[in-house]
């Protein structure tokens, strides 16, 4: 039976599902029980080849959690969030309750509004440097979630080598190719996966960091991409259970902040999807913390097509799940 959803929770869930996820796989579920919302990882939607340990899926759930919290705040509720790395229930990721009142601030509104405007932008960005004054709020957004954002500087050449290496290995991995084909170049109406309309034009020459082949639209005329895209790594201070979800919250606050400041964003996840390059990128940023994802940030000059989502009713599981996991302590 579909649980009854209050308007507030309904709106918060509509916001949650606008979160980004690898290939728009939407690997989340929510259990709603009164004022309590549980965030669950949906194992059936984890990319088994690209993300066998569900790191990226948990990042996505963290992003959905942040959207949920931003929406509740913007509706005047003060959510209390508990990340619950519980070995007995590994797919239950977070509990949110929303009893108290929250005085809605302009920042809450700006972020809540950005939830529905943010899209992964796979088109060329302007080849123009971002002023430091615009980058500081992005780093502050990660800090606000207890994480870090490091703009790739001295590590640039090594990062791009890892991207290329991962792409090479993925190009020769038939299981990876089959998984990618299953989720990309979908029809616009598809409720999940990436539609062809969200793919970028082919580059007119080899750039420093190429978009994935599967996310290029061969029917579009080739375009020039920025030569050295601004890349930023989302890091948590340490790797422990719950770090992926925590990193996802920070990643999403960065993405929403960038959107609210009219910046465009996309992902360069290739090195996180192959064991050897994942180890390489972890080692490269070790002194700064645990790297979770790599973002491309810039000025986009044409809007990306939005991707669809499954309806909220399809991702709300019955509240009995909430009962079986016990009440918050
Ligand atoms: C952890 C993570 C990794 C991603 N990696 C890539 C990537 O490498 N390349 C890419 O073009 N998009 C990547 N995406 C973006 C998703 O494809 C995108 O979020 C999804 O299609 C939904 O579209 P939207 O972000 O426009 O809402 C990633 C998203 C997440 C959350």
């Amino acid at each position: 039976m579909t649980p009854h959803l209050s308007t507030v929770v309904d709106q918060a869930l509509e916001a949650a599902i606008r979160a980004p996820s690898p290939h728009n796989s939407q690997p989340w579920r929510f259990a709603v029980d009164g004022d309590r919302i549980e965030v669950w990882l949906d194992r059936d939607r984890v990319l088994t080849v690209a993300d066998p340990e569900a790191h990226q899926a948990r990042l996505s759930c963290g992003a959905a959690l942040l959207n949920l919290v931003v929406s509740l705040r913007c509706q005047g509720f003060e959510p209390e969030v508990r990340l619950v790395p519980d070995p007995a229930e590994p797919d239950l990721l977070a509990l949110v309750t929303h009893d108290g009142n929250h005085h809605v601030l302009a920042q809450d509104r700006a972020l809540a509004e950005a939830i529905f405007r943010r899209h992964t932008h796979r088109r060329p960005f302007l080849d123009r440097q971002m002023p430091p004054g615009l980058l500081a709020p992005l780093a502050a957004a990660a800090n606000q979630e207890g994480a870090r954002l490091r703009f790739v500087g001295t590590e640039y050449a090594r990062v791009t080598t890892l991207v290329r290496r991962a792409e090479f290995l993925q190009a020769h991995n038939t299981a990876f190719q089959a998984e990618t084909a299953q989720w990309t170049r979908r029809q616009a109406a598809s409720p999940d996966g990436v539609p062809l309309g969200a793919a970028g034009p082919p580059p007119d020459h080899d750039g420093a960091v190429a978009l994935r082949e599967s996310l290029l639209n061969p029917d579009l005329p080739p375009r020039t991409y920025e030569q050295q895209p601004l890349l930023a790594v989302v890091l948590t201070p340490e790797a422990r259970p719950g770090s992926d979800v925590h990193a996802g919250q920070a990643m999403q606050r960065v993405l929403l902040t960038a959107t609210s400041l009219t910046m465009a964003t996309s992902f360069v996840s290739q090195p996180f999807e192959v064991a050897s390059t994942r180890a390489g990128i972890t080692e490269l940023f070790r002194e700064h913390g645990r790297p979770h994802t790599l973002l491309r940030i810039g000025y986009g000059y044409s809007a990306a097509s939005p991707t669809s989502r499954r309806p909220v009713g399809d991702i709300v599981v019955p509240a009995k799940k909430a009962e079986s996991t016990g009440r918050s302590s």
Side-chain angles (χ1 to χ4, degrees):
M1 197 181 79
T2 310
H4 172 73
L5 301 175
S6 74
T7 310
V8 169
V9 172
D10 222 350
Q11 280 193 29
L13 291 173
E14 286 292 347
I17 64 169
R18 292 311 314 171
S21 59
H23 292 335
N24 197 19
S25 49
Q26 305 163 44
W28 44 62
R29 285 192 207 179
F30 303 88
V32 180
D33 185 12
D35 74 337
R36 171 187 156 117
I37 306 170
E38 297 177 349
V39 181
W40 289 78
L41 173 70
D42 185 344
R43 287 257 163 210
D44 294 343
R45 296 190 150 259
V46 174
L47 305 180
T48 51
V49 184
D51 189 23
E53 292 179 46
H55 289 297
Q56 297 197 19
R58 281 191 292 267
L59 273 182
S60 312
C61 291
L65 172 62
L66 194 276
N67 281 4
L68 194 70
V69 164
V70 167
S71 172
L72 288 171
R73 277 212 182 108
C74 196
Q75 296 184 72
F77 292 88
E78 187 52 66
E80 189 182 304
V81 176
R82 216 155 49 91
L83 300 190
V84 276
D86 175 359
E89 199 70 90
D91 296 344
L92 172 59
L93 303 180
L95 301 178
V96 181
T97 48
H98 52 281
D99 271 344
N101 291 338
H102 174 72
H103 175 68
V104 184
L105 304 170
Q107 191 208 16
D108 299 315
R109 289 206 187 86
L111 287 190
E113 200 242 345
I115 289 173
F116 295 92
R117 279 195 299 112
R118 183 213 58 82
H119 301 297
T120 299
H121 200 303
R122 298 190 184 85
R123 302 198 179 142
F125 292 172
L126 289 184
D127 223 343
R128 194 200 300 163
Q129 273 215 325
M130 309 287 298
L134 266 188
L135 301 185
L138 304 185
N143 293 347
Q144 199 175 331
E145 294 297 326
R148 291 175 200 150
L149 188 72
R150 180 172 169 79
F151 297 102
V152 178
T154 51
E155 312 92 350
Y156 208 96
R158 277 171 296 167
V159 167
T160 52
T161 301
L162 287 166
V163 173
R164 294 252 183 263
R165 172 96 194 127
E167 279 173 350
F168 174 82
L169 294 170
Q170 290 179 331
H172 292 85
N173 180 339
T174 48
F176 176 85
Q177 294 298 330
E179 182 176 77
T180 303
Q182 192 196 328
W183 286 99
T184 55
R185 300 188 176 168
R186 293 272 186 94
Q187 299 291 324
S190 175
D192 55 12
V194 186
L196 195 59
D204 58 7
H205 61 278
D206 269 355
V209 177
L211 288 182
R212 292 162 179 279
E213 186 73 30
S214 57
L215 292 172
L216 296 174
N217 182 347
D219 300 334
L220 294 175
R223 295 258 301 271
T224 308
Y225 282 78
E226 69 276 22
Q227 276 310 284
Q228 188 155 324
L230 175 67
L231 299 177
V233 192
V234 177
L235 303 125
T236 50
E238 59 208 19
R240 52 181 167 76
S243 289
D244 292 324
V245 182
H246 180 194
Q249 292 172 281
M251 170 189 87
Q252 186 66 0
R253 189 175 281 278
V254 170
L255 294 174
L256 296 183
T257 304
T259 305
S260 72
L261 296 170
T262 71
M263 288 178 241
T265 55
S266 68
F267 295 79
V268 185
S269 302
Q270 295 89 318
F272 291 92
E273 297 172 351
V274 174
S276 62
T277 53
R278 187 178 182 89
I281 204 143
T282 302
E283 183 55 36
L284 185 56
F285 290 97
R286 182 177 296 283
E287 66 178 291
H288 304 290
R290 175 70 166 214
H292 292 270
T293 192
L294 193 56
L295 305 176
R296 166 181 170 249
I297 301 168
Y299 297 110
Y301 50 92
S302 56
S305 308
T307 48
S308 300
R309 295 295 185 271
R310 293 172 298 150
V312 161
D314 288 6
I315 45 96
V316 176
V317 294
K320 72 177 173 52
K321 281 265 192 193
E323 283 158 30
S324 70
T325 55
R327 289 274 159 195
S328 47
S329 49

